[in-house]
Amino acid sequence: MSDIRTRALACRDAAPAIAMLDADARRALLRDMAAAVDAHARAILDANAKDMAGAADKGVQGAMLDRLKLDASRVAAIANAVREVANLPDVVGQVTRREIRPNGLAIERVRIPLGVVAMIYEARPNVTADAAALCMKAGNAVILRGGSEALHSNLAIAAALHEAMDRHGVPREVLTIMDDLSREAMVQLLQLSDIVDLAIPRGGEGLIRFVTEHARVPVIKHYKGVCHLYVDRDADPDVAMDLLLDGKTTRTGVCNALETLLVHQDIAPSFLPRAAEALRAKGVELRGDEASRALAGDMKPATEDDYAAEFLDLILAVRVVDSLDDAIAHIRRYGSDHTEVIATRNETTAAQFVHALRSAVIMVNASSRFSDGGELGLGAEIGISTTRLHAYGPMGAESLTIERFVVRGEGQVRHPESRTG
Amino acid sequence: MSDIRTRALACRDAAPAIAMLDADARRALLRDMAAAVDAHARAILDANAKDMAGAADKGVQGAMLDRLKLDASRVAAIANAVREVANLPDVVGQVTRREIRPNGLAIERVRIPLGVVAMIYEARPNVTADAAALCMKAGNAVILRGGSEALHSNLAIAAALHEAMDRHGVPREVLTIMDDLSREAMVQLLQLSDIVDLAIPRGGEGLIRFVTEHARVPVIKHYKGVCHLYVDRDADPDVAMDLLLDGKTTRTGVCNALETLLVHQDIAPSFLPRAAEALRAKGVELRGDEASRALAGDMKPATEDDYAAEFLDLILAVRVVDSLDDAIAHIRRYGSDHTEVIATRNETTAAQFVHALRSAVIMVNASSRFSDGGELGLGAEIGISTTRLHAYGPMGAESLTIERFVVRGEGQVRHPESRTG
């Protein structure tokens, strides 16, 4: 038996220890895990220094190096994030529905943990604590497979978390960190369909494709966000401007940032020049169709690729559309099912937009940047699913559980004629 | 581009035509589809006669031939099943939760269809109509890949359904029947992860394993049901007897039949001899551990394989257990996560049993045979999931939808400082 399988089996066998804790005990455990991160800050920073040196030796630079780097305030933020998860309402055992059947059977739908969740991620060490906390909050055991650049940091964070688990009598196997970071080991993990209930890859498109192609366990994907703002003929132009600037300029490297602006032809002559000016003042490069360029000039022509792109940068694709239907057709063709926004004062138009599109999140007169677990009231999020199965959109602790049936009767049978005597 | 891909794309592109119908229109369509099955009964029976002749030529016999066979009353039953699905409450557009955030955003969770569902099944022609109706009731387009023995029957049923769809202006591609039944074509279908949202295999373990191994689209599995009855020391023996006979003897070939009886040692001396006598009177063969054989004699020894088996026959594995914990450990080890039953008058014991096990359905003093979509109030079912993701246990129309977020605001932005002017 491979070492990967042995460790995964140990994780699965330990899972009841976290699933069966009551809500208070699970909260106390997570609070202690947060405290342990604080208490071990020095060791975590030392480990991170090794990772940073190793990455520098390999020539890692810029944003990737920044994602890897920890300092005292980032370690404190990691601990605080775990504390926030600890304080969320407990979801395990929650009764979501009750029904009494005509034959007297009392049927409840009750949330239970998924079981074993495997997180596959890249360089950010904070994911180690975030994912462990959220999975365990939902009563799951977790197998973490982070990036090799961050291995020392991840092991140091895990060591802190394990120490807290020891104090609560929760076996360390509940939080299993993979230290064999080879591709072969990852593939082995992804094929353990009798052990792993769900794999969640977080990272670049390459990682996500690799996981999808090799997995025999269920995968929830977090692909790119090509988010659209459609400024309707009946939009309040001030609201539309606010949504545009908030969506494009406040943070560009996130999946809920805007990538494409669609403007109804009736409002484009007044709206587009004003929008272009404000965007350019914030350093945004515009790429437009012919109609946009005629109205707001000084714009590169937009290509097909631009309309499909997640720029993650101060770049915005622009198009003037003839109608609501035209906007919907554009989004259906180029969208990524993540988040779409409409600015309109016309409720019928808004309802048509919502009805025609099947993206995970539709915003009516609200910024795409609210497409986030915290902002939508889920507490912390483990990611944003663009897979239309199990969870769609921001995923919180609840998405790491499943509803099962608990039925209580008084001896009811389906075929009473089967009774003896 | 392969023919499979072309047809699947056409199915996906047609999907909005069924997703966007309102509830009344969808109900009218399904009622018409039911009527069309009745109206085309002659053609369906003629096609089925061809399949039966072909199967006989191939030497198909017994239960498999019976599953393939249609007669007038079976065709009427197919139409009635479609009519029942038509009359179920509509789930598309259902608002499952509403919340107003402190910043005034109104957040709704709303059910939308999954998109394109692929059903992979074996010889039963009724699945063609059942699956089409249930998927379409939930607003999905559907690709059906049935067994080659039933191809003529399936095409004739689909022709009837298509005629009804024509009358409602719903493109035939919404219900796509695969006629290339090669393994290669199935694998191609299962790899269309940009088109197919969910694959549901129904059939023997071989088919399900094949689908799981080759799929890059999400799969919801329906493995075997190794259902347990645990007769606790505090059981009402009459209730326990009823649950036992209903669970084991009323229908053996179904996944919610009992396969193993666990009896607490304190009640075994009085219960087991009585149970054995009643079961033997119904022709049930018992296979037991040493303690069971000492109490109820004339029993083959049970092997490890017997405890893991889904007999689908008049055979029952039996074991005397020392305690509740012992029963739980047995079920964790040998169970299939389908349905487990406890007979007890002790509420604490029942709660411990429920809490410790994570099967899809737990019955307290009720028969395992109620583990069925209709009996649990879901209306028709498309299957029973033992995958702990998306749906767990019996799956109805609701399980063929996903909840997304619809957010309504009045121009709220996340970073008000990004506003101009």
Side-chain angles (χ1 to χ4, degrees):
Chain A
M1 191 153 60
S2 83
D3 181 52
I4 304 299
R5 187 172 177 85
T6 308
R7 294 198 69 200
L9 270 175
C11 179
R12 184 192 69 181
D13 290 344
I18 183 77
M20 293 176 66
L21 285 185
D22 68 26
D24 288 341
R26 202 154 32 228
R27 179 171 294 120
L29 166 65
L30 286 167
R31 284 180 181 160
D32 251 23
M33 286 165 60
V37 169
D38 280 330
H40 290 260
R42 189 67 261 154
I44 293 169
L45 289 172
D46 289 347
N48 185 249
K50 278 193 212 163
D51 285 333
M52 290 294 287
D57 284 351
K58 281 195 223 151
V60 175
Q61 288 182 326
M64 191 166 170
L65 206 60
D66 183 61
R67 280 198 284 273
L68 178 60
K69 186 180 167 54
L70 295 178
D71 56 25
S73 79
R74 285 186 175 184
V75 173
I78 289 174
N80 278 332
V82 174
R83 212 165 275 122
E84 275 177 31
V85 171
N87 293 334
L88 291 174
D90 203 83
V91 290
V92 180
Q94 195 188 351
V95 177
T96 58
R97 276 176 277 188
R98 288 178 211 269
E99 187 193 355
I100 308 282
R101 299 290 301 161
N103 60 3
L105 288 181
I107 296 171
E108 289 183 348
R109 304 289 293 270
V110 183
R111 286 196 191 287
I112 59 169
L114 297 177
V116 175
V117 177
M119 281 289 302
I120 318 284
Y121 53 105
E122 293 178 332
R124 291 178 193 269
N126 64 304
V127 175
T128 302
D130 285 357
L134 211 49
C135 288
M136 290 171 68
K137 179 74 186 179
N140 297 288
V142 59
I143 299 174
L144 300 175
R145 194 277 187 198
S148 55
E149 315 78 15
L151 182 60
H152 293 102
S153 310
N154 291 340
L155 289 173
I157 292 168
L161 301 175
H162 280 157
E163 196 194 87
M165 291 163 66
D166 292 346
R167 286 199 292 276
H168 290 257
V170 173
R172 292 181 171 207
E173 290 77 8
V174 163
L175 167 53
T176 295
I177 303 267
M178 282 182 61
D179 45 15
D180 177 351
L181 301 182
S182 65
R183 288 259 151 160
E184 295 69 32
M186 195 196 329
V187 170
Q188 276 185 51
L189 176 67
L190 292 170
Q191 305 213 334
L192 298 174
S193 59
D194 55 335
I195 303 175
V196 174
D197 294 285
L198 173 64
I200 305 181
R202 277 186 75 172
E205 214 168 321
L207 176 75
I208 293 170
R209 285 202 192 283
F210 184 87
V211 169
T212 309
E213 286 182 14
H214 291 86
R216 283 189 196 163
V217 306
V219 176
I220 291 188
K221 282 188 282 282
H222 303 255
Y223 267 135
K224 60 187 181 179
V226 181
C227 305
H228 297 78
L229 167 62
Y230 167 56
V231 179
D232 182 51
R233 64 193 292 178
D234 296 325
D236 177 328
D238 294 335
V239 162
M241 281 297 295
D242 286 353
L243 302 183
L244 179 60
L245 293 173
D246 193 61
K248 185 68 247 182
T249 69
T250 56
R251 222 173 139 195
T252 53
V254 289
C255 62
N256 62 15
L258 290 176
E259 306 295 358
T260 297
L261 169 66
L262 303 172
V263 186
H264 192 285
Q265 60 179 353
D266 291 356
I267 202 173
S270 61
F271 184 77
L272 251 188
R274 179 183 163 198
E277 189 187 337
L279 288 165
R280 286 187 190 117
K282 302 257 186 186
V284 179
E285 178 194 331
L286 303 177
R287 300 182 185 173
D289 66 336
E290 216 165 293
S292 307
R293 298 168 73 213
L295 287 167
D298 194 20
M299 218 184 270
K300 271 200 211 166
T303 63
E304 286 284 295
D305 284 352
D306 286 329
Y307 288 125
E310 183 183 36
F311 296 114
L312 298 173
D313 203 349
L314 286 171
I315 303 173
L316 183 71
V318 185
R319 176 174 245 168
V320 173
V321 294
D322 296 344
S323 62
L324 172 67
D325 285 346
D326 201 9
I328 289 167
H330 179 101
I331 295 170
R332 280 198 186 150
R333 175 156 180 197
Y334 297 103
S336 64
D337 285 346
H338 190 294
T339 300
E340 325 302 345
V341 184
I342 182 171
T344 187
R345 282 175 292 203
N346 184 321
E347 285 183 21
T348 307
T349 304
Q352 286 170 341
F353 185 83
V354 169
H355 190 54
L357 292 171
R358 56 177 203 162
S359 305
V361 185
I362 305 282
M363 300 280 182
V364 179
N365 298 322
S367 172
S368 63
R369 298 278 288 105
F370 289 116
S371 192
D372 168 285
E375 297 292 333
L376 295 182
L378 309 182
E381 76 178 26
I382 197 146
I384 297 186
S385 167
T386 58
T387 307
R388 220 166 11 262
L389 198 79
H390 184 73
Y392 195 37
M395 295 174 67
E398 193 180 288
S399 298
L400 297 168
T401 66
I402 184 82
E403 289 176 51
R404 58 108 168 244
F405 294 82
V406 176
V407 181
R408 291 184 177 82
E410 294 156 327
Q412 285 91 335
V413 297
R414 195 151 162 193
H415 295 279
E417 71 278 11
S418 70
R419 287 191 177 121
T420 49
Chain B
M1 193 155 56
S2 82
D3 182 51
I4 304 298
R5 186 172 177 85
T6 308
R7 294 197 69 200
L9 270 175
C11 179
R12 184 192 67 181
D13 290 345
I18 183 76
M20 293 175 69
L21 286 184
D22 67 29
D24 289 341
R26 202 156 29 229
R27 179 171 293 120
L29 166 65
L30 286 166
R31 285 180 180 159
D32 253 22
M33 286 165 60
V37 170
D38 280 331
H40 290 261
R42 189 66 262 154
I44 292 169
L45 289 173
D46 289 346
N48 185 249
K50 279 192 212 165
D51 285 333
M52 290 293 288
D57 285 350
K58 281 196 223 152
V60 175
Q61 290 182 326
M64 192 166 168
L65 206 60
D66 183 64
R67 282 198 283 272
L68 179 59
K69 185 179 168 56
L70 296 178
D71 56 25
S73 79
R74 284 186 175 186
V75 173
I78 290 174
N80 278 333
V82 174
R83 211 165 276 123
E84 274 178 32
V85 171
N87 292 334
L88 291 174
D90 203 84
V91 290
V92 180
Q94 196 189 349
V95 177
T96 57
R97 274 176 279 187
R98 289 179 211 269
E99 187 193 356
I100 308 283
R101 299 290 301 161
N103 61 4
L105 289 181
I107 297 171
E108 289 183 348
R109 305 290 292 271
V110 183
R111 287 196 192 287
I112 60 170
L114 297 178
V116 175
V117 178
M119 280 289 301
I120 319 283
Y121 53 105
E122 294 178 332
R124 292 178 191 270
N126 65 303
V127 176
T128 302
D130 285 357
L134 210 50
C135 288
M136 290 171 68
K137 178 73 185 180
N140 296 288
V142 59
I143 300 175
L144 300 176
R145 195 275 185 198
S148 55
E149 314 77 16
L151 181 60
H152 294 103
S153 311
N154 291 340
L155 289 173
I157 292 169
L161 302 175
H162 280 157
E163 195 193 88
M165 291 163 66
D166 292 347
R167 287 199 292 277
H168 290 257
V170 173
R172 292 181 170 206
E173 289 78 8
V174 163
L175 167 53
T176 295
I177 303 267
M178 282 183 62
D179 45 15
D180 178 351
L181 301 182
S182 64
R183 288 258 151 160
E184 295 69 33
M186 195 195 330
V187 170
Q188 275 185 51
L189 175 67
L190 292 170
Q191 304 215 334
L192 298 174
S193 58
D194 55 334
I195 303 177
V196 174
D197 294 284
L198 173 64
I200 305 181
R202 276 186 75 170
E205 213 168 321
L207 176 75
I208 293 170
R209 285 203 193 281
F210 183 87
V211 168
T212 308
E213 285 181 15
H214 291 86
R216 285 193 194 161
V217 306
V219 176
I220 290 189
K221 282 188 282 280
H222 303 255
Y223 268 136
K224 60 187 181 178
V226 181
C227 305
H228 298 77
L229 166 62
Y230 167 56
V231 179
D232 182 50
R233 64 194 291 177
D234 296 325
D236 177 328
D238 294 335
V239 163
M241 281 297 296
D242 285 354
L243 302 183
L244 179 59
L245 293 173
D246 194 62
K248 184 68 249 181
T249 69
T250 57
R251 223 174 137 195
T252 54
V254 290
C255 60
N256 61 15
L258 289 177
E259 306 295 358
T260 297
L261 169 67
L262 303 172
V263 186
H264 192 284
Q265 59 178 356
D266 292 355
I267 202 173
S270 60
F271 183 78
L272 250 189
R274 178 182 164 198
E277 188 188 339
L279 287 165
R280 287 190 187 114
K282 302 256 185 186
V284 179
E285 176 193 332
L286 303 178
R287 300 182 186 173
D289 65 336
E290 216 166 292
S292 306
R293 297 170 72 214
L295 287 168
D298 194 20
M299 217 184 269
K300 271 201 212 166
T303 64
E304 285 285 295
D305 284 353
D306 286 329
Y307 287 125
E310 184 183 35
F311 296 114
L312 298 173
D313 203 348
L314 286 172
I315 304 172
L316 183 71
V318 185
R319 176 174 245 168
V320 173
V321 294
D322 296 344
S323 61
L324 172 67
D325 285 346
D326 201 10
I328 289 166
H330 179 101
I331 296 171
R332 280 198 186 150
R333 175 155 180 199
Y334 297 102
S336 64
D337 284 347
H338 191 293
T339 300
E340 325 302 345
V341 183
I342 181 171
T344 187
R345 284 175 292 204
N346 184 322
E347 286 184 20
T348 306
T349 304
Q352 285 170 342
F353 186 83
V354 169
H355 189 55
L357 293 171
R358 56 178 204 163
S359 305
V361 185
I362 305 282
M363 300 280 181
V364 178
N365 297 324
S367 172
S368 63
R369 298 277 290 107
F370 290 116
S371 193
D372 167 287
E375 296 293 333
L376 296 181
L378 307 181
E381 75 177 27
I382 197 145
I384 296 186
S385 167
T386 57
T387 308
R388 219 166 12 261
L389 198 79
H390 185 73
Y392 195 35
M395 294 174 67
E398 194 180 288
S399 298
L400 297 168
T401 66
I402 184 84
E403 290 176 50
R404 58 109 168 242
F405 294 82
V406 176
V407 182
R408 291 184 176 83
E410 294 156 326
Q412 284 91 332
V413 296
R414 194 150 162 195
H415 294 279
E417 71 278 10
S418 69
R419 287 190 176 120
T420 50

